[in-house]
Amino acid sequence: MPHFHATVRVGLRPSVLDPAGEAVCAAAQRLGHGAIQSIRIGKAIEIQLDAPDAATARQQLESLSAQLLANPVMETWSLELHNREA
Amino acid sequence: MHVGVAVFPGANCDRDVGWALAGCLGWRVTFLWHRDATLPRKLDALILPGGFSYGDYLRCGAIASSAPLLGAVADFAATGGPVLGICNGFQVLTEAGLLPGGLIRNRGLHFVCRDQGLQVESCCSPWLRHFAPGDALTLPIAHGEGCYHIDPPGLRQLEDHDQVALRYLDNPNGSVGHIAGVSNKAGNVLGLMPHPERACDQATGGTDGQALFRGLARWMGFS
């Protein structure tokens, strides 16, 4: 079965305060990076999976993202299906 | 009263809850393993304790919310059984969709551990029948991710359905609406960031938590 590699990026919704991101932004400005306007911290989840085709892999990953990897109450997610190896 | 207390790997308040209910109130306590998909018969109430279930990996309470035990908890709640989630247990209940909203990192980034003044907002939950709206109580809090979040329409819905159970008197974590605890629409499922089990004995600093548990017992017909 073909092998896939995917990255799911999860971040806080824009309306949700990210105090950790604000703290990092303040540190960046303290270090002289005055051009930095805003920092938001999320996570990237790397996933390896086997699936018969890319469409099936995408479907499974979308279901996983909505069900477990992100909480729609305060987070959004996006999926990148990177490459397919024989 | 016969109460089931969930045991998740990484939770660290299950024994405290057991001690408070059995030792201070004389209730019968049965610990429920997270992998069990069924509950013992004739439980009067269920408690999801505080701690760091499954290391709080991914998000607080996220992995516990898909544990086999949570299916049984959802069934128990659906039939009107009283369910209380304390701290991490509250996070688990929101992740499982049994309570609205979610809990995120405290606004000040600090882990806050202190006695917290609270005000009872609604007594529609059987867990709060001892109290009247406006009553003040003090319970310990201890959390790094207790900032309650819900979008404005969700907040309006909570207020309209009398689901805001407790508010902080001096908001310690940035929670929207100073919310410290919410219930489901029916009221039988309650989630609290404060720890009532840590306020059941004068020796540990107060008994306001006991009032919460005793109120439920009285409401259920136990003396």
Side-chain angles (χ1 to χ4, degrees):
Chain A
M1 196 178 291
H3 187 76
F4 295 89
H5 171 212
T7 305
V8 176
R9 292 183 197 282
V10 179
L12 287 169
R13 285 183 177 279
S15 59
V16 177
L17 181 77
D18 175 16
E22 286 190 356
V24 174
C25 187
Q29 287 166 349
R30 223 167 28 242
L31 287 168
H33 300 281
I36 303 285
Q37 297 289 311
S38 149
I39 293 183
R40 308 271 298 170
I41 299 176
K43 53 197 151 204
I45 301 165
E46 303 290 334
I47 302 171
Q48 309 281 337
L49 79 159
D50 294 328
D53 52 61
T56 310
R58 183 170 290 279
Q59 197 179 14
Q60 280 191 28
L61 290 161
E62 286 176 349
S63 161
L64 176 72
S65 301
Q67 192 183 8
L68 178 68
L69 301 183
N71 180 340
V73 171
M74 59 254 192
E75 291 174 325
T76 56
W77 57 272
S78 63
L79 166 67
E80 286 169 28
L81 200 56
H82 291 302
N83 58 326
R84 176 182 158 162
E85 294 156 18
Chain B
M1 285 284 285
H2 181 195
V3 176
V5 177
V7 179
F8 298 106
N12 57 15
C13 297
D14 42 349
R15 303 287 145 179
D16 294 18
V17 171
W19 172 83
L21 298 182
C24 298
L25 294 162
W27 293 7
R28 184 176 162 209
V29 172
T30 297
F31 289 104
L32 309 169
W33 189 233
H34 63 113
R35 283 199 185 136
D36 292 344
T38 55
L39 301 177
R41 281 193 300 165
K42 296 193 174 172
L43 281 180
D44 297 306
L46 281 181
I47 298 183
L48 275 60
F52 303 87
S53 56
Y54 298 87
D56 274 349
Y57 300 140
L58 199 58
R59 287 180 310 281
C60 307
I63 301 178
S65 73
S66 62
L69 183 65
L70 260 289
V73 172
D75 291 345
F76 184 80
T79 59
V83 178
L84 174 65
I86 303 168
C87 200
N88 193 228
F90 182 13
Q91 295 161 341
V92 174
L93 290 173
T94 60
E95 283 286 339
L98 293 173
L99 287 175
L103 294 136
I104 55 175
R105 183 96 53 116
N106 292 350
R107 176 163 288 199
L109 286 170
H110 290 285
F111 188 97
V112 186
C113 183
R114 70 182 196 200
D115 285 338
Q116 176 67 47
L118 299 156
Q119 183 170 306
V120 176
E121 185 69 26
S122 158
C123 301
C124 81
S125 171
W127 292 97
L128 293 166
R129 287 297 157 87
H130 174 85
F131 302 97
D135 279 359
L137 70 159
T138 300
L139 295 175
I141 55 167
H143 58 250
E145 289 170 269
C147 177
Y148 184 74
H149 175 80
I150 193 163
D151 61 14
L155 181 61
R156 269 197 301 280
Q157 235 177 6
L158 275 189
E159 307 268 9
D160 289 350
H161 293 100
D162 221 11
Q163 288 175 255
V164 178
L166 291 180
R167 292 193 204 267
Y168 300 110
L169 289 177
D170 167 21
N171 195 339
N173 53 29
S175 289
V176 62
H178 312 293
I179 289 173
V182 298
S183 72
N184 62 349
K185 270 187 198 165
N188 61 309
V189 180
L190 177 69
L192 303 176
M193 283 317 292
H195 285 265
E197 83 282 11
R198 296 188 190 175
C200 283
D201 189 327
Q202 212 50 263
T204 60
T207 55
D208 283 358
Q210 235 193 62
L212 184 139
F213 296 119
R214 284 199 192 284
L216 175 75
R218 253 197 311 277
W219 180 78
M220 294 190 74
F222 297 87
S223 56

